[in-house]
Amino acid sequence: MSDSVGETAEFVVRAASSQFNGGDAHIRRIPYVDDRKTIRETVEAAAEVGGMIAFTMVVTDLRKYLKEEAERHNVPVVDIMGPMLKGLSTLYGRSPKREPGLVRKLDEDYFRKVEAIEFAVKYDDGKDPRGLLRADVILIGVSRTSKTPLSMYLAHKRLKVANVPLVPEVEAPEELFRVPAERCIGLTIDPDQLNEIRRERLKSLGLTSRANYANMERILQELDYAEQVMKRIGCPILDVSNKAVEETANIILEMLRKGGGHA
């Protein structure tokens, strides 16, 4: 019996019974127990067949009622979670939450995060425009506006993020104009700061800072083109100048919560 899925109790019973009869035990799993009637009926069923009950319920009232009913019907019970909860309570110096299904919630949260990270990697830098239609949020902007680090940061918040670089010579993917505008965030930046960032990028690659990539005229051209695309989409626009990735990400999260807007 469990007030959640009951997988833990079943696994423990199978593992223990393998020490006696090769695991050949008839197990009936009773999940999501949240009322006394189910407990009473289960205890009566166990009494009829001479069975025992292993349980992982954490809600105090239900645990107490199960033990009382089992004793009244002379049905042996094994509290699988109790000793561990007691030990951890002593270790941590506080009481458990007594909330059913927390392990499952943690697992689901973990897998959602992994899925979001994999999504961000797969649809980084406009690799596959088809991902735009499945994204929770799309970041667009010229090169070096922190699209990739922002995508990864937001992925750790369990958001599926795609990002698309905007370059005048490359037509923006038509999928950008098919998604709701509020799901798209335009990133812009001060031209002088972008120039400095790009110069440093070229220097780290061992290239000359005179390359077109860091040319101010080119930068202004790119920013102008990006602004045209953003206005055509009608998406919120965020200036990332002098902002850390964490700060920008928090602003984006707030914008998404409010359903869009300019910042």
Side-chain angles (χ1 to χ4, degrees):
M1 296 186 71
S2 175
D3 41 22
S4 184
V5 179
E7 289 176 335
T8 302
E10 181 173 347
F11 179 81
V12 172
V13 171
R14 289 196 185 280
S17 64
S18 68
Q19 299 294 317
F20 296 90
N21 55 4
D24 185 24
H26 177 70
I27 298 174
R28 181 183 171 195
R29 191 197 299 187
I30 314 293
Y32 303 115
V33 177
D34 60 0
D35 64 283
R36 295 192 170 203
K37 181 184 177 187
T38 303
I39 292 174
R40 185 168 61 252
E41 290 175 349
T42 304
V43 171
E44 289 171 356
E48 287 178 11
V49 298
M52 65 172 281
I53 295 175
F55 68 95
T56 55
M57 293 189 298
V58 295
V59 178
T60 303
D61 289 346
L62 295 180
R63 286 163 53 87
K64 183 172 181 289
Y65 183 72
L66 170 58
K67 290 177 181 178
E68 289 171 352
E69 282 296 294
E71 185 176 352
R72 193 162 69 87
H73 288 82
N74 200 29
V75 173
V77 292
V78 178
D79 181 359
I80 292 174
M81 290 280 280
M84 181 59 71
L85 289 173
K86 185 176 180 182
L88 290 174
S89 293
T90 302
L91 178 66
Y92 291 131
R94 61 177 186 270
S95 299
K97 293 181 178 180
R98 301 286 179 187
E99 182 181 337
L102 286 181
V103 170
R104 193 177 75 260
K105 290 177 185 175
L106 288 172
D107 285 345
E108 289 172 357
D109 184 68
Y110 171 77
F111 285 116
R112 277 201 304 271
K113 183 184 294 187
V114 170
E115 185 181 8
I117 293 170
E118 290 175 345
F119 187 94
V121 172
K122 183 174 183 179
Y123 298 110
D124 180 46
D125 210 29
K127 288 174 186 171
D128 186 350
R130 292 173 300 180
L132 302 180
L133 302 176
R134 295 174 46 220
D136 295 320
V137 60
I138 302 161
L139 304 178
I140 61 173
V142 302
S143 174
R144 313 313 293 177
T145 47
S146 300
K147 294 186 299 299
T148 296
L150 276 170
S151 295
M152 296 308 298
Y153 187 96
L154 292 170
H156 278 82
K157 301 294 183 182
R158 297 168 298 285
L159 286 172
K160 292 180 179 177
V161 187
N163 72 76
V164 179
L166 298 178
V167 185
E169 293 78 17
V170 180
E171 189 72 26
E174 57 97 9
E175 287 87 353
L176 274 180
F177 306 98
R178 289 166 51 193
V179 298
E182 63 272 12
R183 272 170 46 196
C184 192
I185 306 287
L187 304 177
T188 189
I189 189 171
D190 176 75
D192 292 322
Q193 186 175 345
L194 181 57
N195 186 29
E196 182 61 30
I197 291 171
R198 288 189 174 184
R199 284 175 179 272
E200 289 300 317
R201 175 61 174 164
L202 290 172
K203 192 184 298 181
S204 70
L205 296 172
L207 301 173
T208 172
S209 61
R210 290 193 296 273
N212 193 41
Y213 182 69
N215 178 278
M216 182 57 83
E217 185 178 343
R218 168 65 181 182
I219 286 173
L220 292 172
Q221 180 190 4
E222 288 185 34
L223 289 172
D224 182 60
Y225 170 74
E227 185 179 0
Q228 291 177 35
V229 173
M230 293 171 194
K231 286 183 176 178
R232 182 181 161 197
I233 296 171
C235 65
I237 300 173
L238 174 59
D239 189 338
V240 300
S241 306
N242 301 309
K243 287 185 176 69
V245 169
E246 294 85 351
E247 182 184 359
T248 304
N250 287 330
I251 293 173
I252 290 173
L253 289 170
E254 187 61 28
M255 291 167 73
L256 293 172
R257 274 193 288 270
K258 292 180 178 178
H262 288 67

